[in-house]
Structures are given as structure tokens and as C-alpha cells.
Amino acid sequence: MSGNSREPGRTTIHRAWSVLGAFDSTRPTMTLTEIASATGIPLSTVHRLAAELVDVRALDRTSAGRYRIGLRFWELASLIPFRAQLQRVALPYMQDLYEATHENVHLAVEDALEALYIEVISGHKSVRTETNIGRRAPLHATSVGKVILAFGGDDLLASVGETPLRQYTPYTVTNFRRLCQVVATVKEEQVAAVHSEFTIGVSSIAVPVFNSAGQFAAALTIVARAGTNYSRLVPALRTSASAIGRRLSPAVGGGA
């Protein structure tokens, strides 16, 4: 049922989810007008939905009258089995990796044809990035994304190729045939390096994390300034990924 909606075919749940989905790392807080503009939902409907979402703690309303994602979502997110185990197991090794390299260390999984960062460690000595927990990034333009494409299955790579590949910088790989070649190399060497493809001046290197059953579970990456000598970082990155994987149950992962 669509309910009493001016948008045929869209249920109240779909409209509420559209409101929640409008928030991201670039728009952590919004006014009702901004939400309506981002979603295309009439302002009066947004006003009603926002009030109901605040009531169930899915949204918070600030003293300035702006809205943000509520803490109830963080509580629910902590119950997701794969995320909870990945974070719990990976965090100590990621902290050790940061202490050894003093570079940004990120952990990502695939979600809806994007890389979703589920753990991030940064420091004042690391290159500044906009990455934080919950942020998404393109698969074709990041090292974690290329690892995910290499080990996430042929269907995933084919799905990414069904739409034009966005060019983020002059160095972004936007030719699908070339991307397939890069992904094949990543699968063979089990390491992906990206230099200024997503952000100018920022490079990264990533390796796969396999669970205790040998199935792909996540991508672990070091992000640093362009020109960084990655050859010295690969051994530590592989060691950390291997240590994390040995402690992950077969329930976490399952890519090809």
C-alpha cells in the first residue's frame, strides 16, 4: 500500500528510508527544506516523517532546528553480526598497523555496488582524508574497491560495468576494459594500489582479508600521501590482514 501519498507507488517506509538515506558524510545535518530538496518529497510530508522518525530516535533534532541521524541507528548497527565481528577482531590489528606506519588504516566491505568503510583509524601525522566510518566510496577508483571487485565475484564486476564509470580525477580509470585488466592483476597479486584516482595527492594500497575458511571478507588499506613508498608498507599490511582473517569465522564473508 502507498498510503495517503502524493508519490504513487512509494510506501511510507520507502519515503522514511529516503529521508534517512539523504544524510551522508557531506550532509550530516539538514533542515527540513534541505531534506525535501535532497529527496524530492513534499515539505509537508518531510515535516511529518521527520517528527515520527524523531519519536522513534531514528533522527535527532538539534537546538538549531536541524536534523541528524539518531543514536538508535548506531545501536542497531552494532547488532549486525558481520560488522560487529569484523570491527572487534580487526581493530587491535589496525591500531598496531597504524602505530607501525603512522598512516591512515581503513577497513571496507562491499554494499550496494560501493565500498562501505566500517572501521577507520587516522592520526595527526597521517594525510588528511574525508573518510570516516559509514562513508561510501566508488569501487573503480579506490584500492579497497579494486580489491572488492577482484574477490567479490564476477557478477559484481559486471554490475559495475553496466553504468558509466565516473571520473573523479584525471587519473581515474573510466574504461571498463582497462578496469577489468587492473582487477585481474589485483586478483593475481592480491594487492591493489591507487594513486590520485579518487583524490588528488592521496594514494592508497589495499589487500584482501580472507576469513578462517579462506573466503573473502573485507579489504584492508593504508592511505597516505602521493609518492609514498608503498613497497615498505605491503608486508605489514599483509601480516595484519592475515592475522585478522585467521580470527574471522566462516560466517563473515563469502565472496568469490
Side-chain angles (χ1 to χ4, degrees):
M1 295 179 59
S2 298
N4 188 20
S5 172
R6 291 171 55 188
E7 301 164 277
R10 296 188 71 186
T11 65
T12 299
I13 291 177
H14 279 101
R15 296 196 304 276
W17 191 249
S18 294
V19 169
L20 295 170
F23 294 85
D24 58 27
S25 58
T26 64
R27 296 181 299 197
T29 68
M30 285 190 285
T31 64
L32 291 175
T33 300
E34 290 170 339
I35 295 172
S37 176
T39 61
I41 299 174
L43 182 59
S44 59
T45 304
V46 168
H47 188 279
R48 175 178 58 80
L49 290 171
E52 293 177 357
L53 290 168
V54 168
D55 284 344
V56 296
R57 296 169 55 220
L59 284 181
D60 287 335
R61 187 175 186 275
T62 70
S63 58
R66 300 181 68 84
Y67 292 82
R68 62 191 177 195
I69 295 296
L71 288 177
R72 180 58 178 158
F73 263 89
W74 292 106
E75 294 171 352
L76 293 173
S78 67
L79 301 177
I80 301 174
F82 85 88
R83 175 173 175 173
Q85 186 180 155
L86 262 176
Q87 288 179 302
R88 183 178 66 254
V89 170
L91 187 56
Y93 295 104
M94 293 176 66
Q95 290 171 334
D96 289 345
L97 186 58
Y98 170 78
E99 290 299 328
T101 64
H102 294 292
E103 304 288 2
N104 300 293
V105 181
H106 303 161
L107 186 71
V109 297
E110 184 271 332
D111 183 67
L113 300 183
E114 293 179 301
L116 174 65
Y117 293 98
I118 64 171
E119 194 59 78
V120 173
I121 297 180
S122 300
H124 66 277
K125 294 182 179 180
S126 308
V127 64
R128 183 174 179 179
T129 72
E130 299 300 323
T131 304
N132 48 46
I133 295 175
R135 185 169 185 182
R136 296 171 178 270
L139 296 178
H140 70 284
T142 58
S143 60
V144 290
K146 288 182 170 66
V147 166
I148 289 170
L149 287 175
F151 298 96
D154 293 339
D155 289 346
L156 177 61
L157 182 59
S159 296
V160 169
E162 290 176 356
T163 57
L165 302 178
R166 178 179 171 184
Q167 184 167 12
Y168 293 91
T169 77
Y171 307 100
T172 307
V173 176
T174 57
N175 180 280
F176 183 62
R177 180 174 295 181
R178 172 57 182 156
L179 178 64
C180 290
Q181 293 172 341
V182 171
V183 168
T185 300
V186 171
K187 192 166 188 175
E188 179 181 352
E189 299 180 352
Q190 296 197 5
V191 62
V194 163
H195 306 290
S196 294
E197 285 192 43
F198 188 41
T199 304
I200 291 292
V202 176
S203 296
S204 64
I205 191 163
V207 299
V209 176
F210 300 102
N211 64 24
S212 57
Q215 300 169 311
F216 176 66
L220 182 67
T221 184
I222 290 176
V223 181
R225 293 171 179 82
T228 297
N229 179 8
Y230 277 105
S231 62
R232 67 178 178 84
L233 302 176
V234 173
L237 189 60
R238 290 189 189 278
T239 298
S240 297
S242 178
I244 293 169
R246 285 195 299 270
R247 296 191 59 198
L248 292 178
S249 73
V252 180

